[in-house]
Amino acid sequence: MTRIKWGIIGLGGIAHDFAASFKSDNAELTAVASRTLQKAQDFASEYNVPKAYGHYEALCFDPDIDIIYLATPNSHHAENIKMALNAGKHVLCEKAMVMNNTQLEEILSLADEKNLIVAEAMTIYHMPLFKQLKSRIEAGEFGKLKMVNAMFGSLKDTDPSMRFFNKELGGGALLDIGVYALSFVRYFLSSQPTDLQTMVKLYETGVDEMSTIQLSNDKNELSAVSLSFRGKMPKQGVIICENAFITVINYPRADKAIITYPDGTSETIEAGSSASALSYEVQDLSDTLLNKENKTYIELTKDVTDLMDKSAKAWGMDLTK
């Protein structure tokens, strides 16, 4: 059986999570790269990875590698993706994949030219729970879809040397946690929102610390998104249909949801495992490379980036600066 060979570029915390949970019937983790060779070697030793590189370019041009998981800072994603694509590698990039639509269009054009796949590492698109819920909703089991709402709030250290409040490092709630909320909303909406209204509060460094985003589409569906970097909120998503509403807690990697019916009765549905969220990404992307099918999550990345770009522009922000 053909096995897809993966490499990792950028060896921070999320890369450790990715390597620790790496599990797939059709893939293997083959190489890792850091700006420091010793760091790469230590990482490779910890996770039993055969190859370690002290330069990103060296991994990109390794002929054994099929796809690169990119876990560098947000502000470096565009240039790192282009480097990998120019070396002939497919890319799975950590969120937020890009800073705006301009970067996304350049990347997708290059990927199309090279006949390569580039996708955002958004766990929501791969969780078995959400695939089941979406199937039941589309089958009309709960009546027409009416609304999809999501909130996400964290209390972050305001030190501007940290990426969360640093514009040059791609800081701000929208890029860091808003991508989850918008991905949840867009995954369940029947079509891309055509109307967007938003309000924002900026921190003194110029990044967004709190915002609300209201969306609507041509199917008469509505959405509300609430984000905060200065107050803890539940990672809660709610899908409202005519004959039931579905509540999902910790939706970025959810494996359980509660369906509440008009008579007050409820149903709990469980599928998959939160602990396996990153391995679902590996499995789906490896399947896509082998079968050249199932690219829905790539299209969703375009839609969510468009919504983020429009939100930032409504605030008078240029996310690339």
Side-chain angles (χ1 to χ4, degrees), residues 189-220:
L189 287 176
S190 301
S191 65
Q192 174 72 341
T194 54
D195 184 58
L196 181 152
Q197 299 180 42
T198 182
M199 296 180 65
V200 66
K201 295 297 182 183
L202 302 180
Y203 189 64
E204 60 190 39
T205 59
V207 304
D208 54 301
E209 67 165 79
M210 294 187 297
S211 68
T212 60
I213 304 169
Q214 289 78 44
L215 305 164
S216 64
N217 63 15
D218 59 5
K219 304 294 185 181
N220 294 319

Side-chain angles (χ1 to χ4, degrees), residues 240-291:
I240 300 99
C241 299
E242 286 179 326
N243 300 322
F245 68 86
I246 304 165
T247 305
V248 186
I249 303 297
N250 295 326
Y251 59 82
R253 300 183 182 182
D255 55 17
K256 181 171 70 173
I258 299 174
I259 304 169
T260 304
Y261 296 97
D263 63 2
T265 61
S266 64
E267 171 191 356
T268 298
I269 177 173
E270 298 185 46
S273 166
S274 297
S276 300
L278 299 179
S279 65
Y280 295 140
E281 291 180 332
V282 172
Q283 187 71 38
D284 280 354
L285 262 292
S286 298
D287 285 344
T288 297
L289 295 184
L290 290 170
N291 304 318

Side-chain angles (χ1 to χ4, degrees), residues 15-299:
H16 280 269
D17 293 343
F18 187 84
S21 63
F22 192 98
K23 183 179 181 181
S24 175
D25 296 334
N26 57 12
E28 58 188 74
L29 183 54
T30 303
V32 298
S34 174
R35 293 295 188 191
T36 305
L37 179 58
Q38 187 60 57
K39 183 176 181 179
Q41 290 174 334
D42 291 344
F43 189 103
S45 177
E46 182 174 355
Y47 298 104
N48 196 30
V49 181
K51 300 180 184 181
Y53 294 106
H55 300 280
Y56 295 167
E57 295 84 354
L59 187 148
C60 286
F61 285 98
D62 183 333
D64 289 337
I65 300 300
D66 299 305
I67 181 169
I68 292 170
Y69 171 67
L70 186 61
T72 54
N74 291 346
S75 53
H76 291 71
H77 285 173
E79 63 179 282
N80 293 157
I81 292 171
K82 291 176 184 178
M83 174 182 64
L85 292 175
N86 280 318
K89 309 303 182 189
H90 303 283
V91 178
L92 175 65
C93 180
E94 259 308 322
K95 58 82 189 170
M97 189 171 80
V98 291
M99 308 288 262
N100 58 33
N101 264 347
T102 300
Q103 291 180 346
L104 182 63
E105 289 170 1
E106 292 174 354
I107 286 168
L108 294 179
S109 176
L110 180 59
D112 185 62
E113 174 190 330
K114 302 287 187 180
N115 194 29
L116 296 167
I117 289 173
V118 58
E120 186 171 60
M122 177 51 61
T123 50
I124 288 167
Y125 304 154
H126 307 277
M127 298 304 295
L129 174 71
F130 293 144
K131 293 176 181 179
Q132 285 195 26
L133 287 175
K134 190 169 186 176
S135 177
R136 293 177 67 177
I137 291 168
E138 290 179 343
E141 188 172 333
F142 312 116
K144 289 184 178 180
L145 177 67
K146 306 302 291 184
M147 300 179 71
V148 186
N149 299 334
M151 62 172 66
F152 197 142
S154 299
L155 182 59
K156 300 295 187 184
D157 187 340
T158 56
D159 181 354
S161 67
M162 304 293 286
R163 67 179 178 86
F164 301 114
F165 287 90
N166 189 317
K167 291 181 71 174
E168 294 183 358
L169 297 179
L174 180 66
L175 282 171
D176 193 77
I177 58 178
V179 63
Y180 287 116
L182 288 170
S183 293
F184 177 85
V185 163
R186 180 62 192 94
Y187 184 82
F188 286 103
L189 287 176
S190 301
S191 65
Q192 174 72 341
T194 54
D195 184 58
L196 181 152
Q197 299 180 42
T198 182
M199 296 180 65
V200 66
K201 295 297 182 183
L202 302 180
Y203 189 64
E204 60 190 39
T205 59
V207 304
D208 54 301
E209 67 165 79
M210 294 187 297
S211 68
T212 60
I213 304 169
Q214 289 78 44
L215 305 164
S216 64
N217 63 15
D218 59 5
K219 304 294 185 181
N220 294 319
E221 298 163 357
L222 300 177
S223 290
V225 172
S226 299
L227 307 172
S228 175
F229 257 2
R230 297 300 300 141
K232 187 72 173 176
M233 291 193 294
K235 302 181 187 72
Q236 177 174 293
V238 182
I239 307 157
I240 300 99
C241 299
E242 286 179 326
N243 300 322
F245 68 86
I246 304 165
T247 305
V248 186
I249 303 297
N250 295 326
Y251 59 82
R253 300 183 182 182
D255 55 17
K256 181 171 70 173
I258 299 174
I259 304 169
T260 304
Y261 296 97
D263 63 2
T265 61
S266 64
E267 171 191 356
T268 298
I269 177 173
E270 298 185 46
S273 166
S274 297
S276 300
L278 299 179
S279 65
Y280 295 140
E281 291 180 332
V282 172
Q283 187 71 38
D284 280 354
L285 262 292
S286 298
D287 285 344
T288 297
L289 295 184
L290 290 170
N291 304 318
K292 299 297 183 181
E293 298 174 353
N294 191 27
K295 298 183 181 180
T296 302
Y297 44 86
I298 299 174
E299 299 301 320

